[in-house]
């Protein structure tokens, strides 16, 4: 769980980095993206610490997630700020589901990890709500864009569990 979550939070920081590289700090969407990026960075740091403390092997795909995340962020921002928000909404929909499944699987076996996941899940839901309020559904081709990103997110989770 920790390996997958660390990989996901790392990927999220790279997506936001790609979006901000394209949008800069002058676009109206940059402020909420920067705030969400800071939260994702904190999430990543917590999972980095847990990986070290618990002796968990990080995913071997980190270099791929680094580039793929940045490219996804940059590509959606190049389409439009609304497409960048659609990316966030799609990913956070899948992460909310993923974290919920992890919490159910953990039960009361690891209260520290459960508390961390529950806290981060709430922030991911907030990110999705922010993205929707910022116009995610107005993105060109929103249903297709959202479905494709959600599929990619599910695939990334499945692959990171194994590699």
């Amino acid at each position: 769980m920790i390996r997958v979550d660390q990989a996901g939070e790392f990927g999220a920081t790279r997506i936001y980095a790609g979006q901000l590289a394209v949008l800069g700090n002058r676009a109206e969407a940059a402020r909420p993206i920067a705030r969400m990026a800071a939260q994702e960075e904190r999430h990543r740091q917590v999972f980095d610490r847990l990986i070290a403390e618990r002796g968990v092997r990080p995913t071997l795909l980190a270099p791929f997630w680094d580039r793929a995340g940045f490219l996804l962020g940059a590509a959606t921002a190049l389409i439009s700020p609304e497409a960048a928000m659609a990316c966030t909404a799609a990913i956070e929909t899948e992460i909310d589901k993923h974290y919920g499944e992890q919490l159910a699987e953990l039960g009361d076996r690891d209260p520290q990890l459960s508390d961390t996941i529950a806290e981060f899940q709430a922030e991911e839901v907030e990110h999705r709500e922010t993205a929707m309020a910022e116009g995610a559904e107005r993105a060109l081709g929103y249903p297709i864009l959202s479905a494709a990103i959600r599929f990619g997110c599910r695939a990334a989770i499945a692959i990171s569990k194994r590699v």
Side-chain angles (χ1 to χ4, degrees), residues 13-36:
T13 65
R14 299 307 298 148
I15 291 167
Y16 287 127
Q19 291 174 343
L20 290 170
V22 170
L23 296 173
N25 61 3
R26 289 183 295 237
E28 192 174 313
R31 182 175 292 133
I33 289 172
R35 185 182 56 75
M36 293 184 288

